Amino acid sequence: MSSTTPKKIDVKKSLVEAILAGLIALIVFGPIVGVVLEGYSFNLESTRVAWIIAIVMAGRFALSLFLQTPRGLRILEGFESTGSGVHVLPPDYKSRLRWIIPLMIAIAVALPFFSNSYLLGVVILGLIYVLLGLGLNIVVGLAGLLDLGYVAFYAIGAYGLALGYQYLGLGFWTVLPLAAITAGLAGCILGFPVLRLHGDYLAIVTLGFGEIIRLILNNWLSLTGGPNGMPAPLPTFFGLEFGKRAKDGGVPFHEFFGIAYNPDVKYYFIYAVLFLVVLAVLYIKHRLVKMPVGRAWEALREDEIACRSMGLNHVLVKLSAFTIGASTAGLAGVFFATYQGFVNPTSFTFFESALILAIVVLGGMGSTIGVVIAAFVLTVAPELLRGFAEYRVLLFGILMVLMMIWRPRGLIRISRTGVTPRKGAIHYERTAP
Amino acid sequence: MTRPIIELKDLDVFYGPIQALKGVSLHINEGETVSLIGSNGAGKSTLLMSIFGQPRAAGGQILYQGVDITHKSSHYIASNGIAQSPEGRRVFPDMTVEENLLMGTIPIGDKHAKEDMQRMFELFPRLEERRNQRAMTMSGGEQQMLAIARALMSRPKLLLLDEPSLGLAPIVVKQIFATLRELAKTGMTIFLVEQNANHALKLSDRAYVMVNGEIRLTGTGKELLVNEEVRNAYLGGH
Ligand SMILES: Nc1ncnc2c1ncn2[C@@H]1O[C@H](COP(=O)(O)OP(=O)(O)OP(=O)(O)O)[C@@H](O)[C@H]1O
Ligand SMILES: [Mg+2]
């Protein structure tokens, strides 16, 4: 690429670009900032406009100059090459992101020691969305099946805990695997009729499925309490409850260990369990992608006819993607319910599906690290910027538009580590982003 | 060498109300190279795909090594020694050459993957040069080689090829046919569907001519090359 030929810095080009940017700024900001209404007349505030334009021009000029330096050129190249699809890493490639996993674990372990319960709550939510993102990533990112009703499986997990507790007296630990299985079965059941569908049609049917589940939860008053919702139980620590007083004369956690009652302990516990589950799911996903079924998902996404010509059982492949994706959402739902202590149908609207899809798209279809980062950005950021929370949808919109321009394939490029040929046989010039 | 590896008996295949194959019977002996020629829409691709059970035959029988596979699953068929390179190549665009080859091992598992990949690179040296290139960025000829190599990765006894010369320059077609000839010499049974009748007939031991879903003619490659009807319809009539 062009970086090999050192180019001179072209000041004139930068000046022209700066003037153009100034003109655009004048058109955009002139009427908004420069004209201030006062009663029925208006004042012209030309100095403010001049300042804004000056800042824009200076900024554009500096940016333009910077982008002509070798470092800037490299950044530009990074943007250009993103359009070229999946980035394939050499098989013996040691990811530069490798240190991220120990780092994440270190942060996760350290977090409870210096966080308050509010921050912890935000992180729990973030982790729940990581689970959801990972699950949907299998369906959409890997298998290429656009599922707009993913929230249904999340709801099944959450209501699984609430209903199981209410009617069958089941606790968190019993429901956790059951919810994964139930949601997985639901995924399988949804999978069957949509096997022949692709793209838009698949999206519409799954969207409908998501709404059906929500409407059932909302309207089956006698079973689910409808819009009033239902309580969900907390997890127990080997049978010890986290409440101030245990039910049925049991010993609560704090008394058993002889420590003072702290209402936040339960959140720390949920956090710890959730983190372990996320790690397990990350690991399982990592393994699955390398196994034949993972490769079959990707093959199906890339060319269904080719898959058929290899005798690949596309029914099984699609169903397994739906099932595994759904069961991950079921797990997430259980954590959501136990963390909130309460579930109602408003948590499972289409917006939630869209949010999860946004996580997958932003993260880079098929990329695990990308999904983890995107999940935190999209759930934690609005929480931390409380005042900005109402603009969340706007924020999404802007992010999406920017992404489509600069990162059409997601934050992190999908990079698969190649197959298993001999070590050291291949050399690469290109490096990962 | 005269035992048929595959035998189609009176095969009927429908797409909804349209009958694409009408009582097709043919056989391929072990180690033979047999080609099927016919004009567009004759039903050649349909025939290849129906050996894989997609679409299923509505009538008739497909015997593979004496076993009736008419109603077996595609997976069973693929993992028991039949492989195909589909029409239009259909390589996985976002996967590298190596990954595409690895996908080819799905029917049989990847225990021989490394060794077989090396064999493919010997057969198609071009692929070795490009082993880490993404398939979508390769030329049509390279993609065709990849499609054939991918099919061979499942260690087939019977290789089905659908129009390997599609859209390729004459020189590349020549290369590919040379490789097929090499392959045939190793004892591989090849069933070749082609529009390029000249090349196909020269390569083949025997051939069938299909018209409107029916087998019209059959004979050795040499016989058909000089056959008046074939010359007029498929060899440009000179
Ligand atoms: N999926 C399908 N649904 C309906 N009809 C089909 C389908 N596939 C093929 N056909 C029809 O079956 C007939 C045979 O098609 P086929 O693709 O087998 O022809 P072909 O001999 O391979 O032609 P070509 O040389 O152009 O590839 C055609 O009339 C075609 O329109
Ligand atoms: Mg065809």
mmCIF file of all heavy atoms in Angstrom, chain A residues 238-282:
data_model
loop_
_atom_site.group_PDB
_atom_site.id
_atom_site.type_symbol
_atom_site.label_atom_id
_atom_site.label_comp_id
_atom_site.label_asym_id
_atom_site.label_seq_id
_atom_site.Cartn_x
_atom_site.Cartn_y
_atom_site.Cartn_z
ATOM 1 N N PHE A 238 -25.011 -22.609 48.956
ATOM 2 C CA PHE A 238 -25.133 -23.964 49.516
ATOM 3 C C PHE A 238 -26.289 -24.047 50.500
ATOM 4 O O PHE A 238 -26.134 -24.528 51.622
ATOM 5 C CB PHE A 238 -23.827 -24.385 50.188
ATOM 6 C CG PHE A 238 -22.710 -24.537 49.209
ATOM 7 C CD1 PHE A 238 -21.693 -23.603 49.144
ATOM 8 C CD2 PHE A 238 -22.701 -25.597 48.305
ATOM 9 C CE1 PHE A 238 -20.680 -23.719 48.215
ATOM 10 C CE2 PHE A 238 -21.679 -25.726 47.379
ATOM 11 C CZ PHE A 238 -20.670 -24.796 47.339
ATOM 12 N N GLY A 239 -27.423 -23.527 50.075
ATOM 13 C CA GLY A 239 -28.616 -23.620 50.912
ATOM 14 C C GLY A 239 -28.776 -22.483 51.890
ATOM 15 O O GLY A 239 -29.821 -22.357 52.528
ATOM 16 N N LEU A 240 -27.748 -21.649 52.035
ATOM 17 C CA LEU A 240 -27.879 -20.526 52.967
ATOM 18 C C LEU A 240 -28.480 -19.345 52.230
ATOM 19 O O LEU A 240 -28.043 -18.997 51.131
ATOM 20 C CB LEU A 240 -26.501 -20.140 53.522
ATOM 21 C CG LEU A 240 -25.769 -21.236 54.279
ATOM 22 C CD1 LEU A 240 -24.368 -20.773 54.634
ATOM 23 C CD2 LEU A 240 -26.553 -21.622 55.518
ATOM 24 N N GLU A 241 -29.464 -18.692 52.847
ATOM 25 C CA GLU A 241 -30.106 -17.577 52.175
ATOM 26 C C GLU A 241 -29.409 -16.275 52.499
ATOM 27 O O GLU A 241 -28.721 -16.152 53.509
ATOM 28 C CB GLU A 241 -31.575 -17.517 52.582
ATOM 29 C CG GLU A 241 -32.355 -18.697 52.031
ATOM 30 C CD GLU A 241 -33.810 -18.635 52.407
ATOM 31 O OE1 GLU A 241 -34.300 -17.525 52.659
ATOM 32 O OE2 GLU A 241 -34.439 -19.699 52.452
ATOM 33 N N PHE A 242 -29.619 -15.316 51.588
ATOM 34 C CA PHE A 242 -28.934 -14.036 51.775
ATOM 35 C C PHE A 242 -29.806 -12.999 52.454
ATOM 36 O O PHE A 242 -29.376 -11.880 52.683
ATOM 37 C CB PHE A 242 -28.458 -13.499 50.422
ATOM 38 C CG PHE A 242 -27.253 -14.230 49.910
ATOM 39 C CD1 PHE A 242 -27.370 -15.196 48.926
ATOM 40 C CD2 PHE A 242 -26.006 -13.961 50.445
ATOM 41 C CE1 PHE A 242 -26.256 -15.868 48.474
ATOM 42 C CE2 PHE A 242 -24.896 -14.640 49.994
ATOM 43 C CZ PHE A 242 -25.012 -15.598 49.001
ATOM 44 N N GLY A 243 -31.051 -13.317 52.755
ATOM 45 C CA GLY A 243 -31.951 -12.350 53.374
ATOM 46 C C GLY A 243 -31.514 -12.066 54.799
ATOM 47 O O GLY A 243 -30.621 -12.707 55.362
ATOM 48 N N LYS A 244 -32.172 -11.066 55.371
ATOM 49 C CA LYS A 244 -31.863 -10.745 56.766
ATOM 50 C C LYS A 244 -32.270 -11.928 57.629
ATOM 51 O O LYS A 244 -31.575 -12.351 58.539
ATOM 52 C CB LYS A 244 -32.631 -9.487 57.171
ATOM 53 C CG LYS A 244 -32.405 -9.074 58.596
ATOM 54 C CD LYS A 244 -31.928 -7.642 58.657
ATOM 55 C CE LYS A 244 -31.348 -7.369 60.036
ATOM 56 N NZ LYS A 244 -30.758 -6.064 60.145
ATOM 57 N N ARG A 245 -33.454 -12.460 57.328
ATOM 58 C CA ARG A 245 -33.921 -13.649 58.023
ATOM 59 C C ARG A 245 -34.213 -14.735 56.996
ATOM 60 O O ARG A 245 -34.790 -14.439 55.960
ATOM 61 C CB ARG A 245 -35.236 -13.331 58.746
ATOM 62 C CG ARG A 245 -35.021 -12.878 60.145
ATOM 63 C CD ARG A 245 -36.301 -12.380 60.743
ATOM 64 N NE ARG A 245 -36.097 -11.078 61.358
ATOM 65 C CZ ARG A 245 -35.201 -10.848 62.316
ATOM 66 N NH1 ARG A 245 -34.434 -11.803 62.782
ATOM 67 N NH2 ARG A 245 -35.066 -9.649 62.826
ATOM 68 N N ALA A 246 -33.813 -15.935 57.323
ATOM 69 C CA ALA A 246 -34.100 -17.018 56.394
ATOM 70 C C ALA A 246 -35.523 -17.491 56.603
ATOM 71 O O ALA A 246 -36.065 -17.404 57.703
ATOM 72 C CB ALA A 246 -33.139 -18.165 56.613
ATOM 73 N N LYS A 247 -36.117 -17.977 55.506
ATOM 74 C CA LYS A 247 -37.473 -18.499 55.613
ATOM 75 C C LYS A 247 -37.443 -19.878 56.262
ATOM 76 O O LYS A 247 -36.424 -20.549 56.280
ATOM 77 C CB LYS A 247 -38.111 -18.600 54.226
ATOM 78 C CG LYS A 247 -38.450 -17.237 53.691
ATOM 79 C CD LYS A 247 -39.020 -17.357 52.281
ATOM 80 C CE LYS A 247 -38.752 -16.072 51.537
ATOM 81 N NZ LYS A 247 -37.363 -15.987 51.060
ATOM 82 N N ASP A 248 -38.572 -20.270 56.780
ATOM 83 C CA ASP A 248 -38.740 -21.613 57.344
ATOM 84 C C ASP A 248 -37.679 -21.935 58.402
ATOM 85 O O ASP A 248 -37.175 -23.045 58.491
ATOM 86 C CB ASP A 248 -38.679 -22.700 56.250
ATOM 87 C CG ASP A 248 -39.591 -22.368 55.100
ATOM 88 O OD1 ASP A 248 -40.658 -21.780 55.373
ATOM 89 O OD2 ASP A 248 -39.234 -22.671 53.946
ATOM 90 N N GLY A 249 -37.308 -20.920 59.154
ATOM 91 C CA GLY A 249 -36.423 -21.178 60.285
ATOM 92 C C GLY A 249 -35.014 -21.578 59.912
ATOM 93 O O GLY A 249 -34.261 -22.082 60.749
ATOM 94 N N GLY A 250 -34.573 -21.349 58.688
ATOM 95 C CA GLY A 250 -33.192 -21.673 58.309
ATOM 96 C C GLY A 250 -32.226 -20.635 58.882
ATOM 97 O O GLY A 250 -32.632 -19.672 59.534
ATOM 98 N N VAL A 251 -30.971 -20.878 58.636
ATOM 99 C CA VAL A 251 -29.953 -19.929 59.094
ATOM 100 C C VAL A 251 -29.519 -19.080 57.908
ATOM 101 O O VAL A 251 -29.095 -19.623 56.902
ATOM 102 C CB VAL A 251 -28.731 -20.692 59.650
ATOM 103 C CG1 VAL A 251 -27.726 -19.706 60.251
ATOM 104 C CG2 VAL A 251 -29.171 -21.715 60.674
ATOM 105 N N PRO A 252 -29.635 -17.756 57.991
ATOM 106 C CA PRO A 252 -29.173 -16.942 56.860
ATOM 107 C C PRO A 252 -27.649 -16.888 56.795
ATOM 108 O O PRO A 252 -26.955 -17.191 57.770
ATOM 109 C CB PRO A 252 -29.773 -15.568 57.138
ATOM 110 C CG PRO A 252 -30.060 -15.548 58.592
ATOM 111 C CD PRO A 252 -30.239 -16.963 59.049
ATOM 112 N N PHE A 253 -27.192 -16.486 55.644
ATOM 113 C CA PHE A 253 -25.764 -16.482 55.321
ATOM 114 C C PHE A 253 -24.914 -15.760 56.372
ATOM 115 O O PHE A 253 -23.925 -16.284 56.870
ATOM 116 C CB PHE A 253 -25.590 -15.815 53.942
ATOM 117 C CG PHE A 253 -24.185 -15.718 53.470
ATOM 118 C CD1 PHE A 253 -23.557 -16.807 52.893
ATOM 119 C CD2 PHE A 253 -23.471 -14.526 53.588
ATOM 120 C CE1 PHE A 253 -22.250 -16.712 52.440
ATOM 121 C CE2 PHE A 253 -22.176 -14.423 53.135
ATOM 122 C CZ PHE A 253 -21.566 -15.517 52.566
ATOM 123 N N HIS A 254 -25.350 -14.538 56.727
ATOM 124 C CA HIS A 254 -24.495 -13.735 57.602
ATOM 125 C C HIS A 254 -24.405 -14.332 58.998
ATOM 126 O O HIS A 254 -23.362 -14.261 59.650
ATOM 127 C CB HIS A 254 -24.991 -12.284 57.651
ATOM 128 C CG HIS A 254 -26.375 -12.122 58.197
ATOM 129 N ND1 HIS A 254 -26.631 -11.629 59.435
ATOM 130 C CD2 HIS A 254 -27.587 -12.419 57.665
ATOM 131 C CE1 HIS A 254 -27.939 -11.601 59.637
ATOM 132 N NE2 HIS A 254 -28.532 -12.074 58.576
ATOM 133 N N GLU A 255 -25.488 -14.954 59.465
ATOM 134 C CA GLU A 255 -25.439 -15.560 60.800
ATOM 135 C C GLU A 255 -24.546 -16.786 60.798
ATOM 136 O O GLU A 255 -23.775 -17.014 61.720
ATOM 137 C CB GLU A 255 -26.847 -15.951 61.254
ATOM 138 C CG GLU A 255 -27.572 -14.800 61.922
ATOM 139 C CD GLU A 255 -29.003 -15.171 62.268
ATOM 140 O OE1 GLU A 255 -29.281 -16.380 62.442
ATOM 141 O OE2 GLU A 255 -29.831 -14.253 62.344
ATOM 142 N N PHE A 256 -24.662 -17.549 59.730
ATOM 143 C CA PHE A 256 -23.869 -18.771 59.642
ATOM 144 C C PHE A 256 -22.378 -18.464 59.730
ATOM 145 O O PHE A 256 -21.610 -19.159 60.381
ATOM 146 C CB PHE A 256 -24.178 -19.484 58.323
ATOM 147 C CG PHE A 256 -23.524 -20.824 58.195
ATOM 148 C CD1 PHE A 256 -24.123 -21.965 58.732
ATOM 149 C CD2 PHE A 256 -22.300 -20.966 57.543
ATOM 150 C CE1 PHE A 256 -23.525 -23.198 58.611
ATOM 151 C CE2 PHE A 256 -21.695 -22.203 57.427
ATOM 152 C CZ PHE A 256 -22.310 -23.321 57.960
ATOM 153 N N PHE A 257 -21.978 -17.397 59.053
ATOM 154 C CA PHE A 257 -20.553 -17.054 59.059
ATOM 155 C C PHE A 257 -20.208 -16.056 60.156
ATOM 156 O O PHE A 257 -19.079 -15.598 60.256
ATOM 157 C CB PHE A 257 -20.140 -16.488 57.701
ATOM 158 C CG PHE A 257 -20.014 -17.557 56.665
ATOM 159 C CD1 PHE A 257 -21.052 -17.807 55.778
ATOM 160 C CD2 PHE A 257 -18.870 -18.337 56.600
ATOM 161 C CE1 PHE A 257 -20.951 -18.808 54.841
ATOM 162 C CE2 PHE A 257 -18.766 -19.337 55.652
ATOM 163 C CZ PHE A 257 -19.804 -19.590 54.770
ATOM 164 N N GLY A 258 -21.215 -15.692 60.927
ATOM 165 C CA GLY A 258 -20.961 -14.795 62.044
ATOM 166 C C GLY A 258 -20.488 -13.419 61.627
ATOM 167 O O GLY A 258 -19.633 -12.816 62.270
ATOM 168 N N ILE A 259 -21.001 -12.925 60.484
ATOM 169 C CA ILE A 259 -20.630 -11.573 60.083
ATOM 170 C C ILE A 259 -21.870 -10.689 60.151
ATOM 171 O O ILE A 259 -23.000 -11.196 60.232
ATOM 172 C CB ILE A 259 -20.052 -11.540 58.650
ATOM 173 C CG1 ILE A 259 -20.960 -12.342 57.707
ATOM 174 C CG2 ILE A 259 -18.633 -12.089 58.619
ATOM 175 C CD1 ILE A 259 -20.522 -12.302 56.270
ATOM 176 N N ALA A 260 -21.634 -9.384 60.134
ATOM 177 C CA ALA A 260 -22.748 -8.450 60.212
ATOM 178 C C ALA A 260 -23.572 -8.544 58.931
ATOM 179 O O ALA A 260 -23.040 -8.850 57.865
ATOM 180 C CB ALA A 260 -22.219 -7.026 60.397
ATOM 181 N N TYR A 261 -24.858 -8.292 59.045
ATOM 182 C CA TYR A 261 -25.717 -8.360 57.871
ATOM 183 C C TYR A 261 -25.382 -7.223 56.911
ATOM 184 O O TYR A 261 -25.296 -6.067 57.322
ATOM 185 C CB TYR A 261 -27.185 -8.273 58.276
ATOM 186 C CG TYR A 261 -28.106 -8.201 57.084
ATOM 187 C CD1 TYR A 261 -28.252 -9.299 56.241
ATOM 188 C CD2 TYR A 261 -28.798 -7.022 56.783
ATOM 189 C CE1 TYR A 261 -29.077 -9.231 55.141
ATOM 190 C CE2 TYR A 261 -29.623 -6.960 55.681
ATOM 191 C CZ TYR A 261 -29.750 -8.068 54.869
ATOM 192 O OH TYR A 261 -30.561 -7.997 53.769
ATOM 193 N N ASN A 262 -25.173 -7.567 55.678
ATOM 194 C CA ASN A 262 -24.900 -6.554 54.675
ATOM 195 C C ASN A 262 -25.786 -6.859 53.467
ATOM 196 O O ASN A 262 -25.645 -7.916 52.852
ATOM 197 C CB ASN A 262 -23.420 -6.614 54.288
ATOM 198 C CG ASN A 262 -23.074 -5.600 53.203
ATOM 199 O OD1 ASN A 262 -23.962 -4.986 52.620
ATOM 200 N ND2 ASN A 262 -21.789 -5.439 52.943
ATOM 201 N N PRO A 263 -26.706 -5.956 53.131
ATOM 202 C CA PRO A 263 -27.647 -6.271 52.049
ATOM 203 C C PRO A 263 -26.960 -6.430 50.689
ATOM 204 O O PRO A 263 -27.559 -6.950 49.752
ATOM 205 C CB PRO A 263 -28.603 -5.075 52.051
ATOM 206 C CG PRO A 263 -27.880 -3.988 52.750
ATOM 207 C CD PRO A 263 -26.942 -4.635 53.721
ATOM 208 N N ASP A 264 -25.728 -5.978 50.577
ATOM 209 C CA ASP A 264 -25.067 -6.053 49.276
ATOM 210 C C ASP A 264 -24.412 -7.400 48.994
ATOM 211 O O ASP A 264 -24.041 -7.680 47.856
ATOM 212 C CB ASP A 264 -23.984 -4.974 49.168
ATOM 213 C CG ASP A 264 -24.602 -3.606 49.100
ATOM 214 O OD1 ASP A 264 -25.818 -3.541 48.819
ATOM 215 O OD2 ASP A 264 -23.893 -2.627 49.335
ATOM 216 N N VAL A 265 -24.286 -8.207 50.050
ATOM 217 C CA VAL A 265 -23.573 -9.468 49.858
ATOM 218 C C VAL A 265 -24.181 -10.280 48.735
ATOM 219 O O VAL A 265 -23.481 -10.878 47.926
ATOM 220 C CB VAL A 265 -23.554 -10.285 51.166
ATOM 221 C CG1 VAL A 265 -23.074 -11.700 50.894
ATOM 222 C CG2 VAL A 265 -22.679 -9.613 52.182
ATOM 223 N N LYS A 266 -25.502 -10.267 48.650
ATOM 224 C CA LYS A 266 -26.158 -11.063 47.613
ATOM 225 C C LYS A 266 -25.725 -10.633 46.216
ATOM 226 O O LYS A 266 -25.552 -11.441 45.322
ATOM 227 C CB LYS A 266 -27.680 -10.996 47.755
ATOM 228 C CG LYS A 266 -28.276 -9.609 47.785
ATOM 229 C CD LYS A 266 -29.789 -9.681 47.970
ATOM 230 C CE LYS A 266 -30.457 -8.327 47.970
ATOM 231 N NZ LYS A 266 -30.435 -7.686 49.304
ATOM 232 N N TYR A 267 -25.512 -9.311 46.051
ATOM 233 C CA TYR A 267 -25.099 -8.848 44.730
ATOM 234 C C TYR A 267 -23.680 -9.311 44.408
ATOM 235 O O TYR A 267 -23.367 -9.659 43.282
ATOM 236 C CB TYR A 267 -25.201 -7.328 44.629
ATOM 237 C CG TYR A 267 -26.621 -6.853 44.751
ATOM 238 C CD1 TYR A 267 -26.983 -5.875 45.660
ATOM 239 C CD2 TYR A 267 -27.622 -7.428 43.960
ATOM 240 C CE1 TYR A 267 -28.298 -5.471 45.774
ATOM 241 C CE2 TYR A 267 -28.932 -7.030 44.070
ATOM 242 C CZ TYR A 267 -29.272 -6.046 44.982
ATOM 243 O OH TYR A 267 -30.555 -5.667 45.095
ATOM 244 N N TYR A 268 -22.835 -9.280 45.443
ATOM 245 C CA TYR A 268 -21.482 -9.782 45.210
ATOM 246 C C TYR A 268 -21.529 -11.250 44.785
ATOM 247 O O TYR A 268 -20.801 -11.692 43.914
ATOM 248 C CB TYR A 268 -20.612 -9.628 46.460
ATOM 249 C CG TYR A 268 -20.233 -8.200 46.728
ATOM 250 C CD1 TYR A 268 -20.819 -7.483 47.772
ATOM 251 C CD2 TYR A 268 -19.302 -7.554 45.924
ATOM 252 C CE1 TYR A 268 -20.482 -6.168 47.999
ATOM 253 C CE2 TYR A 268 -18.966 -6.240 46.142
ATOM 254 C CZ TYR A 268 -19.557 -5.546 47.188
ATOM 255 O OH TYR A 268 -19.226 -4.246 47.389
ATOM 256 N N PHE A 269 -22.437 -11.961 45.437
ATOM 257 C CA PHE A 269 -22.529 -13.382 45.109
ATOM 258 C C PHE A 269 -23.046 -13.586 43.682
ATOM 259 O O PHE A 269 -22.485 -14.359 42.898
ATOM 260 C CB PHE A 269 -23.441 -14.083 46.120
ATOM 261 C CG PHE A 269 -23.504 -15.567 45.920
ATOM 262 C CD1 PHE A 269 -22.375 -16.346 46.102
ATOM 263 C CD2 PHE A 269 -24.680 -16.182 45.518
ATOM 264 C CE1 PHE A 269 -22.417 -17.707 45.908
ATOM 265 C CE2 PHE A 269 -24.731 -17.546 45.313
ATOM 266 C CZ PHE A 269 -23.593 -18.309 45.510
ATOM 267 N N ILE A 270 -24.115 -12.860 43.342
ATOM 268 C CA ILE A 270 -24.643 -12.963 41.970
ATOM 269 C C ILE A 270 -23.549 -12.616 40.972
ATOM 270 O O ILE A 270 -23.352 -13.295 39.961
ATOM 271 C CB ILE A 270 -25.851 -12.017 41.773
ATOM 272 C CG1 ILE A 270 -27.028 -12.489 42.614
ATOM 273 C CG2 ILE A 270 -26.254 -11.954 40.301
ATOM 274 C CD1 ILE A 270 -28.209 -11.553 42.589
ATOM 275 N N TYR A 271 -22.833 -11.558 41.303
ATOM 276 C CA TYR A 271 -21.760 -11.114 40.425
ATOM 277 C C TYR A 271 -20.737 -12.232 40.209
ATOM 278 O O TYR A 271 -20.347 -12.529 39.075
ATOM 279 C CB TYR A 271 -21.093 -9.881 41.033
ATOM 280 C CG TYR A 271 -19.778 -9.513 40.389
ATOM 281 C CD1 TYR A 271 -19.746 -8.907 39.146
ATOM 282 C CD2 TYR A 271 -18.575 -9.787 41.034
ATOM 283 C CE1 TYR A 271 -18.555 -8.586 38.558
ATOM 284 C CE2 TYR A 271 -17.370 -9.469 40.449
ATOM 285 C CZ TYR A 271 -17.358 -8.866 39.207
ATOM 286 O OH TYR A 271 -16.166 -8.561 38.625
ATOM 287 N N ALA A 272 -20.333 -12.868 41.314
ATOM 288 C CA ALA A 272 -19.314 -13.905 41.211
ATOM 289 C C ALA A 272 -19.801 -15.070 40.355
ATOM 290 O O ALA A 272 -19.106 -15.543 39.450
ATOM 291 C CB ALA A 272 -18.922 -14.394 42.604
ATOM 292 N N VAL A 273 -21.038 -15.521 40.628
ATOM 293 C CA VAL A 273 -21.575 -16.649 39.868
ATOM 294 C C VAL A 273 -21.702 -16.271 38.391
ATOM 295 O O VAL A 273 -21.306 -17.023 37.492
ATOM 296 C CB VAL A 273 -22.945 -17.081 40.428
ATOM 297 C CG1 VAL A 273 -23.538 -18.185 39.571
ATOM 298 C CG2 VAL A 273 -22.802 -17.533 41.863
ATOM 299 N N LEU A 274 -22.244 -15.069 38.174
ATOM 300 C CA LEU A 274 -22.445 -14.615 36.801
ATOM 301 C C LEU A 274 -21.110 -14.556 36.061
ATOM 302 O O LEU A 274 -21.001 -14.994 34.913
ATOM 303 C CB LEU A 274 -23.109 -13.236 36.814
ATOM 304 C CG LEU A 274 -23.350 -12.568 35.462
ATOM 305 C CD1 LEU A 274 -24.160 -13.461 34.552
ATOM 306 C CD2 LEU A 274 -24.066 -11.238 35.655
ATOM 307 N N PHE A 275 -20.105 -14.049 36.752
ATOM 308 C CA PHE A 275 -18.805 -13.936 36.090
ATOM 309 C C PHE A 275 -18.279 -15.312 35.692
ATOM 310 O O PHE A 275 -17.773 -15.499 34.589
ATOM 311 C CB PHE A 275 -17.807 -13.218 36.996
ATOM 312 C CG PHE A 275 -16.493 -12.985 36.321
ATOM 313 C CD1 PHE A 275 -16.381 -12.031 35.320
ATOM 314 C CD2 PHE A 275 -15.378 -13.729 36.649
ATOM 315 C CE1 PHE A 275 -15.181 -11.825 34.667
ATOM 316 C CE2 PHE A 275 -14.173 -13.534 36.001
ATOM 317 C CZ PHE A 275 -14.074 -12.574 35.008
ATOM 318 N N LEU A 276 -18.454 -16.269 36.600
ATOM 319 C CA LEU A 276 -17.983 -17.617 36.274
ATOM 320 C C LEU A 276 -18.752 -18.191 35.084
ATOM 321 O O LEU A 276 -18.175 -18.827 34.201
ATOM 322 C CB LEU A 276 -18.136 -18.535 37.492
ATOM 323 C CG LEU A 276 -17.155 -18.233 38.626
ATOM 324 C CD1 LEU A 276 -17.393 -19.166 39.803
ATOM 325 C CD2 LEU A 276 -15.721 -18.367 38.126
ATOM 326 N N VAL A 277 -20.068 -17.937 35.078
ATOM 327 C CA VAL A 277 -20.867 -18.442 33.954
ATOM 328 C C VAL A 277 -20.413 -17.791 32.650
ATOM 329 O O VAL A 277 -20.284 -18.466 31.615
ATOM 330 C CB VAL A 277 -22.376 -18.199 34.207
ATOM 331 C CG1 VAL A 277 -23.183 -18.449 32.944
ATOM 332 C CG2 VAL A 277 -22.857 -19.092 35.327
ATOM 333 N N VAL A 278 -20.156 -16.483 32.690
ATOM 334 C CA VAL A 278 -19.694 -15.799 31.473
ATOM 335 C C VAL A 278 -18.381 -16.426 30.992
ATOM 336 O O VAL A 278 -18.211 -16.714 29.807
ATOM 337 C CB VAL A 278 -19.516 -14.286 31.711
ATOM 338 C CG1 VAL A 278 -18.798 -13.638 30.538
ATOM 339 C CG2 VAL A 278 -20.868 -13.631 31.908
ATOM 340 N N LEU A 279 -17.481 -16.667 31.951
ATOM 341 C CA LEU A 279 -16.213 -17.287 31.570
ATOM 342 C C LEU A 279 -16.450 -18.656 30.933
ATOM 343 O O LEU A 279 -15.853 -18.986 29.905
ATOM 344 C CB LEU A 279 -15.308 -17.455 32.794
ATOM 345 C CG LEU A 279 -14.482 -16.246 33.218
ATOM 346 C CD1 LEU A 279 -13.524 -16.649 34.323
ATOM 347 C CD2 LEU A 279 -13.724 -15.659 32.042
ATOM 348 N N ALA A 280 -17.349 -19.423 31.548
ATOM 349 C CA ALA A 280 -17.629 -20.755 31.011
ATOM 350 C C ALA A 280 -18.192 -20.646 29.597
ATOM 351 O O ALA A 280 -17.785 -21.382 28.694
ATOM 352 C CB ALA A 280 -18.602 -21.496 31.917
ATOM 353 N N VAL A 281 -19.125 -19.714 29.415
ATOM 354 C CA VAL A 281 -19.730 -19.564 28.086
ATOM 355 C C VAL A 281 -18.682 -19.121 27.071
ATOM 356 O O VAL A 281 -18.641 -19.615 25.943
ATOM 357 C CB VAL A 281 -20.916 -18.566 28.132
ATOM 358 C CG1 VAL A 281 -21.369 -18.199 26.733
ATOM 359 C CG2 VAL A 281 -22.062 -19.167 28.913
ATOM 360 N N LEU A 282 -17.813 -18.202 27.499
ATOM 361 C CA LEU A 282 -16.738 -17.763 26.611
ATOM 362 C C LEU A 282 -15.884 -18.947 26.187
ATOM 363 O O LEU A 282 -15.552 -19.107 25.014
ATOM 364 C CB LEU A 282 -15.845 -16.750 27.329
ATOM 365 C CG LEU A 282 -16.273 -15.299 27.297
ATOM 366 C CD1 LEU A 282 -15.371 -14.466 28.182
ATOM 367 C CD2 LEU A 282 -16.248 -14.763 25.880
#
